[in-house]
Amino acid sequence: MPISANDTKRKSWVEVPENSDFPIQNIPFGVFLTKEYVVTVGTRIGDSAIDLGALQQLNYFEGIELTDDMFMQDTLNDFISDGKKTWRLVRNRIAEIFDKNNPKLRDNAKHRDIVIFKMDEVEMQLPVLIGDYTDFYSSKEHATNVGKMFRDPENALLPNWLHIPVGYHGRSSTIIPSGIPVHRPIGQTLPAGENTPVFGPSRLIDFELETAFITTDANVMGEMIPINEAEDYIFGMVLLNDWSARDIQKWEYVPLGPFLAKSFASSISPWIVTMDALEPFRVASPKQDPSPLPYLQQKGKHSFDIHLEVAIQPENEKPTVIGNSNFKYMYWTMSQQLTHHTSNGCRVNSGDMMGSGTISGPTPNSYGSMLELTWGGKNPIKLNDGTERKFINDNDTVIMKGFCQNGQVRLGFGEVSSKLLPPFVRK
Amino acid sequence: MPISANDTKRKSWVEVPENSDFPIQNIPFGVFLTKEYVVTVGTRIGDSAIDLGALQQLNYFEGIELTDDMFMQDTLNDFISDGKKTWRLVRNRIAEIFDKNNPKLRDNAKHRDIVIFKMDEVEMQLPVLIGDYTDFYSSKEHATNVGKMFRDPENALLPNWLHIPVGYHGRSSTIIPSGIPVHRPIGQTLPAGENTPVFGPSRLIDFELETAFITTDANVMGEMIPINEAEDYIFGMVLLNDWSARDIQKWEYVPLGPFLAKSFASSISPWIVTMDALEPFRVASPKQDPSPLPYLQQKGKHSFDIHLEVAIQPENEKPTVIGNSNFKYMYWTMSQQLTHHTSNGCRVNSGDMMGSGTISGPTPNSYGSMLELTWGGKNPIKLNDGTERKFINDNDTVIMKGFCQNGQVRLGFGEVSSKLLPPFVRK
């Protein structure tokens, strides 16, 4: 089944601004609330939000096997459950419907009124009900930087790191879409030189520049997804800001790992960009040495060239871009992560989310966290408004963007943007 | 609102065998599938399963504000969302309906046929959709034993342990009810003296004897549940066997905590025993020294006297009880766990599950895992059939039971029983 939606010559009759992340070659999936308070599954072209529920009711998906209310839902989980063949049929069909040479919807003003909204008229929701959220730790540069700062600079990587895509379970209940502000968490920290912890607002709030992938139902309990099948179970990707409280983390994380330092919030971009859309940007991942164990060995190219950037926007100021990275730096691939995750028989469901871990590149300006960019606060970053940051201040907004570009097309994720508010006050 | 369901003088017209965990003073909540393939919320008296959906349709809950399909669901999440007042009204009403002096249902054979099943005619399901699962590490004896074995016998407890109810996020997708078998997981382990891991079936499968509590919607994001309110948000408890692969755990867990060593399966008992039912068994928890930080300080009794036991049953043999413990040994209380969990603003939803961590008592026969009972495999346990165990063998069934008993009444959880199968073979 060809991915006709990827045809780089195709233009849409829907206007697409220059350098938009959402040309007709993207066709991401999300969930939005319209101004009439209807929740629907949708896609986006340019700055237009497209109601797929309405399109289905108007019979534009005729011939594709879908349940009647597939898109009139408040999550994508059921659609994702339908599997790769259906995703591709639907995405290809959407490309046809919005092709500038197709008059069917283009010339039907009544239908267009029902189907198409301006992006600023809709409110993006979480695209999936996330049953389980896992976060990996798969950037060698990030793991090395953290190891140098907190452990032994000569042996920065732990012994298991080059053999295992190390990961841990995260908290699903506090995953929120772009735009929702986050309160500075309160927690236990151990002041330097003391033996007794104190309880109060975290002083070291950090972002982590990550991507995440969303899975479909992958296996029954007990079953491992073989490495050569793993990509078939990945629906698409989002940007992820894995908010972190470094001082809480330092005190709590031994021996069971990060807990409250992470679980106060994780922000994601609202549009899931499909693996089909990302296919033209496939690149090789870094060479793995030593070679991983056979169940994790794969041939060919399994990473993607996705430019990533992060900016800090102080209250009433313009954003300053403070870091640029790229998904292609990841040492472990998404397929290796998914195969490893299921190697013990762990069941993976539709809508599960798996984070990459902080994506740091090889140079200091490509690091993916304030911890690394300021090297533990030693080298503050100057913003365009003249102020400095070691970590994130109250009322700062952290903005992450991600896009792919080649000679023919540019497409991307939009952004995940979230403001850090002062600690919550109970009313 | 009095807890009339706890009246110890009350008897039911439903037969209750001697030493049953399910007298009319228990009234737990669960979900079962009937032989007509109907899924319903239910309760249990003696060896009878009671269909609460049918009871509601027959108007037995008249006067209690409930949505029409409250019990005709495949999870308890909506009922739990209704809050403590509703839980108590419903439990009190069930006690009245089944009181031996109440003729209404007792003398209505037609209704009884619709409402009451034999336990062996129904199939117990997972009682809640578990959005997030957290496992704590709150037994001082267990943490000390593990510290002695793997770290420093002189400083067995880590510095944060006496200040924090240490916990981590677990995997929800592999929580299964009693009776579902578990495959021995495959994974990476590091052979002694080697630098390179191997991939194969885990050789050190262990149980962890735990309880878990189920929460209701407790807070909005950002909000901490104060310690003196925390118990109001706990619906009830179950038994939990937190299956563990010790060799996988040892190799993978630094620095982000246990992952695949735990996520292959966690088994729970299917009936949620309410905190109201456990109220008569309230006892003090161990004295905490040093005193916890103010947000975790509480007065009064906040633990429960729950006898726990674990047995191993080899294939075609009788079970051998190998350990006895008690929930009252837990150093950190459930309210402290819940308050700490929300102290950073982490949202807690209806149906979330929080495990106690392995519950070990002060004596070697009260330890809650094979790791401790055999002291890392050094002291194998002899079973009644003459065989020995260091860890769990293929085709062994692990059975955990828990009950409370005082002069007037005995009530309990039934059991969580699950068989360890050989590794999964993909067809």
Side-chain angles (χ1 to χ4, degrees):
Chain A
M1 188 171 33
I3 318 179
S4 67
N6 289 359
D7 178 0
T8 54
K9 295 208 179 66
R10 197 194 297 273
K11 301 275 180 196
S12 178
W13 49 264
V14 175
E15 193 195 336
V16 178
E18 204 180 348
N19 283 328
S20 169
D21 281 354
F22 302 98
I24 194 169
Q25 287 77 20
N26 191 341
I27 311 179
F29 291 89
V31 170
F32 59 78
L33 181 72
T34 70
K35 54 187 176 180
E36 288 92 21
Y37 298 102
V38 174
V39 177
T40 183
V41 168
T43 187
R44 174 173 177 175
I45 297 178
D47 293 329
S48 298
I50 292 154
D51 181 339
L52 297 182
L55 266 185
Q56 188 183 9
Q57 279 192 298
L58 295 169
N59 243 354
Y60 282 83
F61 293 117
E62 206 182 355
I64 303 176
E65 219 172 285
L66 296 167
T67 53
D68 289 346
D69 64 344
M70 179 52 82
F71 297 122
M72 287 178 288
Q73 302 204 23
D74 58 3
T75 72
L76 278 157
N77 295 59
D78 281 357
F79 175 60
I80 295 173
S81 264
D82 270 4
K84 189 170 181 166
K85 193 179 152 192
T86 302
W87 313 335
R88 193 169 286 176
L89 285 170
V90 167
R91 187 165 161 272
N92 284 345
R93 177 68 59 87
I94 294 169
E96 287 165 24
I97 297 168
F98 291 91
D99 186 299
K100 74 169 178 189
N101 298 315
N102 185 343
K104 194 174 171 191
L105 179 61
R106 183 191 71 194
D107 299 346
N108 188 330
K110 203 176 144 194
H111 281 190
R112 285 202 317 270
D113 267 5
I114 299 171
V115 166
I116 303 175
F117 300 85
K118 289 182 182 147
M119 272 305 295
D120 56 17
E121 294 172 341
V122 305
E123 195 179 287
M124 296 305 299
Q125 311 291 305
L126 216 53
V128 278
L129 177 70
I130 298 164
D132 277 295
Y133 160 43
T134 300
D135 201 20
F136 286 94
Y137 183 58
S138 289
S139 154
K140 190 175 173 185
E141 289 79 3
H142 172 66
T144 304
N145 288 338
V146 172
K148 279 184 186 168
M149 268 184 269
F150 292 124
R151 287 180 294 265
D152 177 1
E154 301 303 308
N155 293 288
L157 280 185
L158 286 163
N160 58 12
W161 200 92
L162 292 168
H163 301 281
I164 292 181
V166 171
Y168 71 105
H169 306 296
R171 179 83 189 175
S172 301
S173 71
T174 46
I175 299 172
I176 50 177
S178 180
I180 306 284
V182 170
H183 286 280
R184 178 180 292 271
I186 291 172
Q188 281 196 33
T189 57
L190 188 70
E194 302 283 335
N195 291 317
T196 305
V198 296
F199 186 69
S202 163
R203 290 170 305 111
L204 307 179
I205 298 297
D206 202 351
F207 57 79
E208 294 197 322
L209 174 61
E210 302 195 18
T211 61
F213 64 90
I214 308 291
T215 63
T216 185
D217 317 283
N219 60 345
V220 297
M221 248 179 100
E223 184 184 23
M224 177 173 81
I225 305 302
I227 186 77
N228 60 350
E229 295 178 20
E231 283 189 1
D232 290 341
Y233 296 97
I234 301 177
F235 174 64
M237 295 174 71
V238 294
L239 303 173
L240 164 63
N241 178 356
D242 185 32
W243 290 97
S244 299
R246 299 297 179 195
D247 44 357
I248 295 175
Q249 187 174 351
K250 192 175 174 186
W251 173 233
E252 77 172 358
Y253 91 105
V254 176
L256 300 185
F259 182 50
L260 301 189
K262 303 277 190 171
S263 63
F264 61 99
S266 311
S267 304
I268 64 172
S269 57
W271 293 107
I272 305 178
V273 177
T274 65
M275 297 319 296
D276 272 357
L278 295 168
E279 186 59 40
F281 306 97
R282 188 181 279 275
V283 292
S285 51
K287 184 173 159 50
Q288 297 184 322
D289 181 22
S291 182
L293 286 165
Y295 77 107
L296 293 176
Q297 288 172 11
Q298 54 185 169
K299 288 179 180 149
K301 299 172 176 177
H302 298 281
S303 192
F304 296 88
D305 183 5
I306 307 172
H307 301 272
L308 299 168
E309 65 168 54
V310 58
I312 296 177
Q313 178 172 27
E315 182 103 304
N316 301 320
E317 298 288 342
K318 293 202 166 140
T320 303
V321 174
I322 59 165
N324 284 278
S325 190
N326 195 304
F327 181 76
K328 72 182 178 191
Y329 297 139
M330 298 298 295
Y331 186 84
W332 293 103
T333 68
M334 293 184 284
S335 12
Q336 287 175 324
Q337 290 169 341
L338 182 54
T339 289
H340 180 66
H341 203 318
T342 60
S343 63
N344 70 341
C346 179
R347 178 163 51 198
V348 170
N349 292 317
S350 173
D352 287 352
M353 185 173 109
M354 302 191 186
S356 56
T358 307
I359 303 174
S360 293
T363 56
N365 64 348
S366 65
Y367 295 164
S369 64
M370 292 300 276
L371 181 71
E372 296 163 86
L373 286 163
T374 70
W375 209 255
K378 281 183 198 153
N379 311 316
I381 290 176
K382 201 156 195 170
L383 303 185
N384 290 339
D385 68 352
T387 61
E388 286 189 340
R389 293 290 183 283
K390 294 179 179 175
F391 288 90
I392 305 301
N393 287 0
D394 285 352
N395 301 308
D396 282 352
T397 299
V398 175
I399 304 165
M400 295 175 178
K401 297 185 181 186
F403 67 91
C404 307
Q405 189 150 26
N406 59 25
Q408 280 102 34
V409 70
R410 170 200 162 112
L411 60 82
F413 294 81
E415 64 178 32
V416 52
S417 162
S418 27
K419 187 173 178 176
L420 182 67
L421 299 179
F424 182 93
V425 177
R426 208 182 193 213
K427 291 185 185 93
Chain B
M1 189 171 33
I3 318 179
S4 67
N6 289 0
D7 176 1
T8 54
K9 296 208 178 67
R10 197 193 297 272
K11 299 275 178 195
S12 177
W13 49 263
V14 175
E15 192 195 338
V16 177
E18 203 180 346
N19 284 329
S20 169
D21 281 353
F22 303 98
I24 194 169
Q25 288 77 19
N26 191 341
I27 312 180
F29 291 89
V31 170
F32 59 78
L33 181 72
T34 70
K35 55 187 175 180
E36 288 93 19
Y37 299 102
V38 174
V39 177
T40 182
V41 168
T43 187
R44 175 175 176 173
I45 297 178
D47 294 328
S48 298
I50 293 154
D51 181 340
L52 297 182
L55 265 185
Q56 187 184 9
Q57 280 192 297
L58 295 169
N59 242 352
Y60 282 84
F61 293 119
E62 205 182 356
I64 303 176
E65 219 173 287
L66 295 167
T67 53
D68 287 347
D69 63 344
M70 179 52 82
F71 298 121
M72 285 178 290
Q73 302 204 23
D74 58 3
T75 72
L76 278 157
N77 295 58
D78 281 357
F79 176 59
I80 295 173
S81 264
D82 270 4
K84 189 169 181 166
K85 192 179 153 192
T86 302
W87 312 335
R88 194 170 285 175
L89 284 169
V90 167
R91 187 165 162 271
N92 284 344
R93 177 67 60 85
I94 295 169
E96 286 165 24
I97 297 168
F98 290 92
D99 187 300
K100 73 168 179 187
N101 298 315
N102 185 342
K104 195 174 171 191
L105 179 61
R106 183 193 69 196
D107 298 346
N108 187 330
K110 203 175 145 195
H111 282 189
R112 284 201 321 270
D113 266 6
I114 299 170
V115 165
I116 303 174
F117 299 85
K118 288 181 183 150
M119 272 305 295
D120 56 18
E121 292 171 340
V122 305
E123 196 179 286
M124 296 306 299
Q125 310 292 305
L126 216 52
V128 278
L129 177 70
I130 297 164
D132 277 295
Y133 159 43
T134 300
D135 201 20
F136 286 94
Y137 183 59
S138 289
S139 154
K140 190 175 174 184
E141 289 79 4
H142 171 66
T144 304
N145 288 339
V146 171
K148 278 184 187 168
M149 267 182 268
F150 293 124
R151 287 181 294 263
D152 177 2
E154 300 304 307
N155 292 288
L157 280 185
L158 285 164
N160 58 12
W161 200 93
L162 292 168
H163 300 282
I164 293 182
V166 171
Y168 71 106
H169 306 297
R171 179 85 189 173
S172 301
S173 72
T174 45
I175 299 172
I176 49 177
S178 180
I180 306 285
V182 170
H183 286 280
R184 178 180 292 270
I186 291 172
Q188 281 196 33
T189 56
L190 188 70
E194 302 283 335
N195 291 316
T196 305
V198 296
F199 186 68
S202 164
R203 289 169 305 111
L204 306 179
I205 298 297
D206 202 352
F207 57 79
E208 294 198 321
L209 175 61
E210 303 195 18
T211 61
F213 64 90
I214 308 290
T215 64
T216 185
D217 317 285
N219 60 345
V220 297
M221 248 179 101
E223 185 184 24
M224 176 172 83
I225 304 302
I227 186 78
N228 59 352
E229 295 177 19
E231 282 188 1
D232 290 341
Y233 297 97
I234 301 176
F235 175 64
M237 294 174 71
V238 295
L239 304 173
L240 165 64
N241 177 357
D242 185 32
W243 289 97
S244 300
R246 300 296 179 196
D247 43 358
I248 295 175
Q249 186 173 351
K250 193 175 174 186
W251 173 232
E252 74 170 1
Y253 92 105
V254 177
L256 300 185
F259 182 50
L260 301 189
K262 302 278 189 170
S263 63
F264 60 100
S266 310
S267 303
I268 64 171
S269 57
W271 293 108
I272 305 177
V273 177
T274 66
M275 297 318 296
D276 272 357
L278 294 168
E279 187 57 42
F281 305 97
R282 188 181 279 276
V283 293
S285 51
K287 183 172 161 50
Q288 296 183 323
D289 182 19
S291 182
L293 284 165
Y295 78 107
L296 293 176
Q297 287 173 12
Q298 55 186 167
K299 288 181 179 148
K301 299 173 176 178
H302 297 281
S303 192
F304 297 87
D305 184 6
I306 306 171
H307 300 273
L308 300 168
E309 66 168 54
V310 57
I312 295 176
Q313 179 172 26
E315 182 102 305
N316 301 320
E317 297 288 341
K318 293 204 165 140
T320 303
V321 174
I322 58 165
N324 284 277
S325 189
N326 195 304
F327 180 76
K328 71 182 178 190
Y329 297 138
M330 299 298 294
Y331 187 84
W332 294 102
T333 67
M334 293 184 283
S335 14
Q336 288 175 323
Q337 290 168 340
L338 183 54
T339 289
H340 180 67
H341 203 317
T342 60
S343 64
N344 70 341
C346 179
R347 179 163 49 200
V348 170
N349 292 317
S350 173
D352 286 352
M353 186 172 107
M354 301 191 186
S356 57
T358 307
I359 303 173
S360 292
T363 55
N365 64 348
S366 65
Y367 295 164
S369 64
M370 292 300 276
L371 180 70
E372 296 162 86
L373 286 163
T374 70
W375 209 255
K378 281 184 199 152
N379 312 317
I381 291 175
K382 200 154 197 171
L383 304 185
N384 291 339
D385 68 352
T387 61
E388 286 189 341
R389 292 290 182 282
K390 293 179 178 175
F391 289 91
I392 305 302
N393 286 1
D394 285 353
N395 301 308
D396 283 351
T397 300
V398 175
I399 304 164
M400 296 175 177
K401 298 184 180 187
F403 67 91
C404 307
Q405 188 150 26
N406 59 24
Q408 279 102 36
V409 69
R410 168 200 164 113
L411 60 84
F413 294 82
E415 65 179 31
V416 52
S417 161
S418 28
K419 187 173 177 176
L420 182 67
L421 299 180
F424 182 92
V425 177
R426 208 182 193 213
K427 288 186 188 93

